Amino acid sequence: MKRQLLDEMVFRSEDVSAADRFDYWTELLGRTHAPMDLRSDHTDDFRASQRVLDLGAVTVWSATFQPLVFQRTPKLIRQSDPEAYHLSLVVRGTGAGVWRHRETAYKPYDLFINSSSLPNDVYSTGDLVQTVALEVPKALLPLPRDMAARIVGAPVSAREGMGALLARFLTQLIADPAAYQPSDRPRLAAVVTPLVSALFAHLLEAGDCLPPETHQQALTLRIQAFIREHLHDPDLTPSGIAATHHISTSYLHCLFQHEDATVAAWIRRLRLEAARRDLADPALRTTPIHTIAARWGFPRAADFSRAHRAAYGTAPKDHRHQALGLIAKGSVD
């Protein structure tokens, strides 16, 4: 039986004629990132390659290309904005990003943070430029516009701290995507999103004389990352989370007033989403439902069943049968 792999799209400049390579590359970036105006001294025979891994809402890719200038203009933003954060690990080459609020130079093992919603010019230099990149929807990392500007273009080293954690994950994933299968996509996305959230929180807290609302947003991001990392813990409660972060439980609830759910409801929703992913995983088809429920913080099977039915309108076993049935039908087709 042939093992299924992660969805991967590969582009190589030599796959098309020399005259079409630069235009094809421009079109490709417009689809995998956002529409941009590109300029290069190598348009006659542009050399580039790209591998894109689809993790659902999150996208990871590696790219190697000749030096060029990326320009994201207000007009292009009005025409099309995927509303995403773009993070690139510079592996080879150098460059700079220019925004209205900041100019930042980049060298190997720096992390480059950008936003599809902000006009910018990005310059790359060197014989060949190599990056490993990540695209995350802003909906997964909600930040007010003024706070997003504090993060975009902020200098981040991938040699230490939070930057190094994210860089190691990206390089390991892109180096051996064959080690993962389609059912791993939501798990990988669930790993990388808290890493980005924690990095953003670190950057916001590192700023000098930040206004109180910025500190609050940074703390909220850090707490949300903590919750995602400890969903397996049945003792994950608002009081325990507050104690871990040295705040009162009432202040924790105040932080979540601007979210779409209370702290407890937020935890329950994430646990239910994780349990639903496992129930639909063919590799776990023989794992009892109560075991999956307990793994995600529901020690009582009856409580899990009621919560699942209240949230989705179906029983856990019905969701599993339907999901696995569709997968089986698709493999036959």
Side-chain angles (χ1 to χ4, degrees):
M1 180 177 177
K2 187 176 180 180
R3 185 172 182 267
Q4 289 185 311
L5 304 177
L6 285 175
D7 293 336
E8 182 177 14
M9 181 176 68
V10 179
F11 165 80
R12 300 181 184 87
S13 58
E14 59 265 29
D15 292 340
V16 298
S17 65
D20 295 332
R21 289 172 184 172
F22 189 73
D23 289 341
Y24 189 25
W25 177 252
T26 302
E27 179 190 355
L28 180 72
L29 291 185
R31 286 189 277 113
T32 58
H33 176 45
M36 288 175 283
D37 290 333
L38 302 185
R39 303 192 305 273
S40 176
D41 295 332
H42 307 278
T43 56
D44 291 342
D45 185 12
F46 191 69
R47 289 182 292 150
S49 64
Q50 185 180 50
R51 295 167 56 217
V52 182
L53 296 178
D54 178 13
L55 304 184
V58 177
T59 305
V60 175
W61 70 81
S62 63
T64 302
F65 52 91
Q66 289 181 297
L68 46 69
V69 178
F70 307 83
Q71 187 176 45
R72 184 95 167 118
T73 65
K75 180 179 179 181
L76 288 174
I77 293 171
R78 288 193 299 270
Q79 291 175 351
S80 176
D81 183 6
E83 297 191 356
Y85 290 111
H86 173 89
L87 297 89
S88 290
L89 170 66
V90 181
V91 178
R92 180 179 175 183
T94 57
V98 180
W99 300 265
R100 292 172 182 169
H101 68 291
R102 177 179 285 147
E103 295 185 17
T104 306
Y106 297 96
K107 61 185 183 302
Y109 294 96
D110 283 347
L111 271 172
F112 169 86
I113 304 176
N114 206 350
S115 165
S116 65
S117 306
L118 296 178
N120 60 82
D121 292 353
V122 179
Y123 303 85
S124 59
T125 58
D127 177 31
L128 279 176
V129 179
Q130 183 179 357
T131 64
V132 178
L134 168 71
E135 199 87 28
V136 183
K138 290 183 178 180
L140 297 180
L141 300 163
L143 282 176
R145 185 178 180 86
D146 60 331
M147 295 184 193
R150 296 177 186 271
I151 289 172
V152 169
V156 182
S157 172
R159 297 181 183 274
E160 60 186 9
M162 299 304 305
L165 285 176
L166 180 59
R168 281 198 292 268
F169 175 85
L170 293 178
T171 52
Q172 180 177 342
L173 174 60
I174 208 70
D176 188 19
Y180 309 95
Q181 49 192 326
S183 59
D184 291 322
R185 289 169 57 196
R187 301 188 189 101
L188 292 169
V191 169
V192 72
T193 302
L195 287 176
V196 177
S197 178
L199 173 63
F200 283 6
H202 170 76
L203 293 175
L204 289 171
E205 291 177 333
D208 294 331
C209 301
L210 294 180
E213 63 271 17
T214 303
H215 285 296
Q216 292 171 2
Q217 185 66 35
L219 178 58
T220 303
L221 284 172
R222 183 152 50 88
I223 290 172
Q224 289 174 346
F226 175 85
I227 290 173
R228 288 189 176 98
E229 293 168 3
H230 294 82
L231 286 176
H232 291 288
D233 185 356
D235 296 324
L236 183 69
T237 62
S239 59
I241 294 168
T244 299
H245 291 85
H246 309 291
I247 60 175
S248 67
T249 304
S250 60
Y251 185 57
L252 173 67
H253 289 306
C254 287
L255 291 175
F256 273 73
Q257 282 181 351
H258 300 294
E259 303 301 319
D260 58 356
T262 64
V263 182
W266 208 77
I267 294 171
R268 183 168 58 252
R269 185 180 67 193
L270 292 181
R271 283 175 165 168
L272 284 170
E273 290 173 353
R276 275 174 68 84
R277 288 195 297 268
D278 281 0
L279 289 172
D281 188 345
L284 299 176
R285 64 169 62 244
T286 60
T287 303
I289 292 176
H290 67 83
T291 301
I292 291 176
R295 177 184 300 163
W296 290 108
F298 292 95
R300 292 171 52 88
D303 291 343
F304 172 64
S305 182
R306 280 194 297 270
H308 190 283
R309 187 181 293 276
Y312 304 109
T314 60
K317 64 177 182 180
D318 294 334
H319 167 67
R320 167 178 265 184
H321 291 159
Q322 181 180 12
L324 295 180
L326 288 174
I327 293 173
K329 184 178 184 300
S331 63
V332 172
D333 294 343

